[in-house]
Amino acid sequence: MERFVIIGAGAAGIRAAQTLRKFRPEDLITVISIDDTVHSRCMLHKYLGHERDAQGISFVEADFFEKNDITHIAGEKVTKIDTGLKMVYYGEQYSAPYDKLLIAAGSGFFIPPIPHFREAPNVFGFRDFSDALKIDEAFLKGKRVFIVGSGLVGLDAASALCERGAQITIAEMAPRVMPLQTDDYAASIYQKAFEAHGCKFLLGVGATDAVVDEKGNITEVILATGEHIPCDFIIMAAGVRPRIEIAQNSGIAAERAIQVDDHLRTSAPDVYAAGDCTGLSGVWPDAAAQGEAAAENMAGIDTVYEKPYPFKNTSNFFGVTMLSVGRLDLTEGAEILIHRTPKEYKKAIIKDGKLTGYLSLGDISNSGLYLHLIKNGIDVSGKTDKIFRLSFSDFYGINEKNGEYAYSVS
Amino acid sequence: MKRIFIDPTKCDGCKNCSLACMEAHRQDGGTGIYTLDLQDPSNQSRNRILTDGKGGYNPIFCRHCDIPDCAGACMSGALQKNMDNGLVEYDAEKCAACYMCVMSCRYGVPAISPDRKRVIKCDFCAHLEEGPACVRACPKKAIEVREV
Ligand SMILES: Cc1cc2nc3c(=O)[nH]c(=O)nc-3n(C[C@H](O)[C@H](O)[C@H](O)COP(=O)(O)OP(=O)(O)OC[C@H]3O[C@@H](n4cnc5c(N)ncnc54)[C@H](O)[C@@H]3O)c2cc1C
Ligand code: SF4
Ligand code: SF4
Ligand code: SF4
């Protein structure tokens, strides 16, 4: 009987546990997580917006652990691994032995070194369920919210709180909202949608200092312009860092992220890593896929994990939907095509006959093939006149063996 | 496990399959093609018949893939591969309308609902004992349910 231990109950950890159970019906599987409950970070805003309860933002059934005979050690933090003794240390004094171990600790939010921000008790992240609980509590005392960063995480938090009548100010260092996923026009559409719901944006400015009360709580944020913005609490959404402390404490190779090879093995024998903590990507589908690949390798099924294509996202705020794939920022020597109607905005970036970026705002139905074309560098020359109307029909092929499809590309 | 097998060479583009799909999933309580509102986007077909540019047709149907990228990308548990019947099933209650599934299906199958709150995708007519309406509507046997 082999003992599998997984650190983390997020996208990667849970997918790994499911996969291990599939291939190893009899072996011992233990999941240790700081998270008390399983939840999808991508749905935290639904909890914060009081649209769903805790179980409503879980991505597994309530009886997941019992049904799959997996031990969940919840609410415990792993501090260190003894890779020689093959032992995981958690809580104050507990330990768990393993034969194969997976680190799927995700990433944490980052607070830039602005005076008072790192110490103030009213500065929150927005990653864990516990963060949502803290924000919920703070919201009882004051509704003036200052959000640092207008990426997907910052806007998720803003969308949830503005529905509850918050007075929101969002500061963004870049000159537009969601700078990584948008161009100026797409950003302006989202900005207007949020402004229509009462959010205020400060673009191209950063916070440089703060005024604190006697308890150290920030009461005013001071901007680079010298302006003071009064607030009741702050949400930090200005970047994440892979969680590498466990690896660092245990002599496992990690610089900005935990180093893994093409089988998701770390530098220590029988220790694997998957998800955001590997720094390979920062989106749910990739974290889950890594969890699955790592688990297969742990179960003895040789699986090569191909590096993910990380530049991809979708968003849906107030019914404004967007698909953003590839590099919209790399336009040198590229052809840029734009299609704009009152209801739609689409942009394609084409370089050497290949799509390198694609943005679609509006009805994004049936648009999954654009990610496939970009990720695989599929030639689209000769098709650029209908670049916004491409479909699988343009690459149609059937896999005769199982009746699925297959891309036919010349 | 069953799959709708497609023979594009037999398809003549009549779109009976699409009408049958719309009829099988209409929400207005009516029955019969004559009362089906073809303009109502909430009645949209889950399959699409597209021209191949050479006078023929390419039917696009959900493959209920062996390894479904849509379900692999789903962050709410709404889309899941049912290992018993092989179908990639969708639960609108769980769905968070994030549309990562739309982005991840390389065949461009999932569509988004007009209210931007759900995904529209083939459910193999789970509510019909006789099986997928499209297959029964096809006069050319271009689409057929087969065991895989
Ligand atoms: C607000 C928000 C919205 C998002 N929206 C989207 C979206 O719409 N689409 C998308 O694709 N992605 C989205 N993401 C990103 C996505 O959530 C992550 O990529 C994904 O969750 C990463 O999965 P993971 O398993 O690597 O880590 P996580 O899901 O972060 O899980 C990490 C787990 O490790 C545990 N852990 C950490 N350290 C320890 C320790 N020392 N001891 C024990 N346990 C530990 C944690 O408790 C947690 O259970 C969003 C992220 C956030 C924060
Ligand atoms: S939606 Fe796409 S990925 Fe999902 S099962 Fe259907 S064809 Fe496969
Ligand atoms: S839109 Fe719904 S079904 Fe699709 S990935 Fe998101 S939560 Fe899953
Ligand atoms: S019903 Fe059959 S022949 Fe008609 S369009 Fe559909 S697949 Fe083609």
Side-chain angles (χ1 to χ4, degrees):
Chain A
M1 191 121 73
E2 249 186 319
R3 292 162 302 184
F4 296 105
V5 174
I6 297 168
I7 304 170
I14 294 293
R15 181 70 66 82
Q18 288 166 327
T19 309
L20 279 172
R21 187 43 89 219
K22 182 166 105 192
F23 292 112
R24 294 298 189 89
E26 303 295 333
D27 291 311
L28 292 176
I29 304 173
T30 304
V31 175
I32 309 174
S33 68
I34 301 175
D35 283 338
D36 286 320
T37 55
V38 176
H39 62 272
S40 172
R41 275 144 184 80
C42 322
M43 290 196 282
L44 267 189
H45 62 288
K46 299 220 173 256
Y47 181 86
L48 189 59
H50 287 189
E51 213 183 301
R52 294 191 186 186
D53 61 9
Q55 181 54 33
I57 62 161
S58 174
F59 58 102
V60 294
E61 303 299 330
D63 61 354
F64 171 79
F65 292 107
E66 295 97 75
K67 220 169 84 191
N68 291 289
D69 191 19
I70 294 168
T71 307
H72 185 199
I73 300 175
E76 294 285 2
K77 180 175 176 159
V78 171
T79 46
K80 186 175 157 9
I81 302 159
D82 188 325
T83 56
L85 281 176
K86 295 185 118 177
M87 198 75 94
V88 171
Y89 296 96
Y90 64 92
E92 296 286 304
Q93 64 230 354
Y94 301 105
S95 59
Y98 65 86
D99 296 307
K100 300 260 167 62
L101 174 70
L102 177 68
I103 308 176
S107 43
F109 64 97
F110 173 76
I111 307 182
I114 309 167
H116 308 294
F117 271 63
R118 288 189 172 165
E119 306 83 40
N122 64 340
V123 174
F124 309 112
F126 190 55
R127 281 209 70 82
D128 301 326
F129 188 59
S130 58
D131 293 328
L133 289 177
K134 282 182 217 157
I135 295 171
D136 223 11
E137 197 183 309
F139 198 65
L140 292 175
K141 288 183 237 144
K143 299 200 167 7
R144 294 169 307 167
V145 189
F146 191 93
I147 299 177
V148 183
S150 76
L152 287 168
V153 173
L155 293 190
D156 265 359
S159 70
L161 290 174
C162 76
E163 303 271 20
R164 293 177 58 191
Q167 233 177 293
I168 298 171
T169 308
I170 304 168
E172 169 60 59
M173 290 286 262
R176 62 167 188 268
V177 306
M178 265 198 283
L180 300 177
Q181 286 86 18
T182 57
D183 65 359
D184 289 344
Y185 181 75
S188 73
I189 300 287
Y190 275 113
Q191 183 175 342
K192 279 185 209 137
F194 275 89
E195 283 170 350
H197 284 80
C199 295
K200 206 172 150 234
F201 288 93
L202 302 165
L203 299 174
V205 288
T208 50
D209 204 347
V211 178
V212 292
D213 65 13
E214 65 286 355
K215 290 188 188 127
N217 284 307
I218 295 177
T219 55
E220 285 171 31
V221 175
I222 305 174
L223 304 176
T225 55
E227 204 186 337
H228 287 230
I229 310 284
C231 67
D232 296 307
F233 64 91
I234 291 165
I235 298 176
M236 290 305 308
V240 293
R241 297 286 182 272
R243 284 190 179 125
I244 56 171
E245 307 83 55
I246 304 173
Q248 282 176 327
N249 296 342
S250 316
I252 294 170
E255 266 173 59
R256 281 201 66 239
I258 301 179
Q259 272 176 36
V260 285
D261 67 8
D262 63 355
H263 283 68
L264 297 164
R265 290 177 290 228
T266 68
S267 64
D270 295 320
V271 180
Y272 296 73
D276 282 6
C277 66
T278 65
L280 295 174
S281 180
V283 291
W284 183 274
D286 293 337
Q290 286 169 44
E292 186 165 334
E296 286 178 0
N297 284 312
M298 291 164 76
I301 300 156
D302 194 288
T303 304
V304 173
Y305 178 74
E306 273 174 42
K307 277 225 165 83
Y309 186 80
F311 306 104
K312 54 184 179 212
N313 239 310
T314 50
S315 49
N316 181 2
F317 293 110
F318 311 116
V320 180
T321 44
M322 179 174 75
L323 169 99
S324 166
V325 286
R327 298 298 298 263
L328 300 165
D329 51 335
L330 304 181
T331 51
E332 219 182 278
E335 189 186 352
I336 301 174
L337 299 173
I338 286 175
H339 167 85
R340 192 191 297 184
T341 68
K343 279 190 165 169
E344 277 184 331
Y345 174 67
K346 293 177 180 180
K347 181 182 201 172
I349 297 168
I350 301 164
K351 215 173 190 170
D352 304 323
K354 289 170 183 164
L355 259 179
T356 55
Y358 191 80
L359 181 69
S360 173
L361 195 71
D363 187 352
I364 59 169
S365 293
N366 315 115
S367 59
L369 85 159
Y370 288 99
L371 171 61
H372 190 76
L373 297 178
I374 290 174
K375 183 167 85 171
N376 296 293
I378 291 172
D379 194 273
V380 294
S381 49
K383 298 189 172 78
T384 51
D385 54 326
K386 56 169 175 178
I387 200 78
F388 300 117
R389 285 174 286 116
L390 290 179
S391 73
F392 182 59
S393 186
D394 297 297
F395 307 92
Y396 204 76
I398 286 180
N399 175 343
E400 300 296 342
K401 267 196 290 219
N402 62 8
E404 289 192 10
Y405 288 136
Y407 263 75
S408 52
V409 287
S410 40
Chain B
M1 303 216 313
K2 293 185 167 68
R3 178 164 291 134
I4 297 175
F5 276 67
I6 304 165
D7 183 348
T9 61
K10 288 188 184 161
C11 173
D12 70 356
C14 70
K15 297 196 183 175
N16 279 348
C17 51
S18 301
L19 282 174
C21 181
M22 295 164 86
E23 173 71 13
H25 295 96
R26 70 192 289 181
Q27 297 296 322
D28 61 5
T31 50
I33 296 288
Y34 299 106
T35 60
L36 183 66
D37 182 357
L38 301 178
Q39 303 305 320
D40 181 353
S42 59
N43 276 344
Q44 66 186 282
S45 172
R46 288 137 204 247
N47 59 52
R48 292 181 300 147
I49 304 299
L50 303 175
T51 56
D52 69 356
K54 293 173 242 148
Y57 296 91
N58 285 330
I60 313 273
F61 284 73
C62 173
R63 302 294 70 215
H64 292 276
C65 300
D66 293 347
I67 301 172
D69 288 330
C70 60
C74 180
M75 51 71 152
S76 72
L79 273 172
Q80 285 189 24
K81 175 102 177 155
N82 181 330
M83 283 305 173
D84 297 325
N85 60 17
L87 299 181
V88 176
E89 295 172 341
Y90 171 67
D91 180 348
E93 288 285 301
K94 288 188 187 148
C95 176
C98 73
Y99 298 138
M100 287 307 260
C101 54
V102 172
M103 180 188 82
S104 301
C105 173
R106 67 189 73 186
Y107 310 124
V109 168
I112 70 178
S113 66
D115 66 0
R116 309 294 193 247
K117 290 187 173 150
R118 282 174 307 118
V119 172
I120 297 177
K121 180 192 132 341
C122 169
D123 59 2
F124 223 74
C125 288
H127 60 297
L128 300 179
E129 245 171 64
E130 3 15 315
C134 54
V135 172
R136 283 179 289 122
C138 177
K140 298 282 173 190
K141 287 206 161 31
I143 44 177
E144 267 186 329
V145 176
R146 274 193 231 158
E147 200 64 38
V148 276

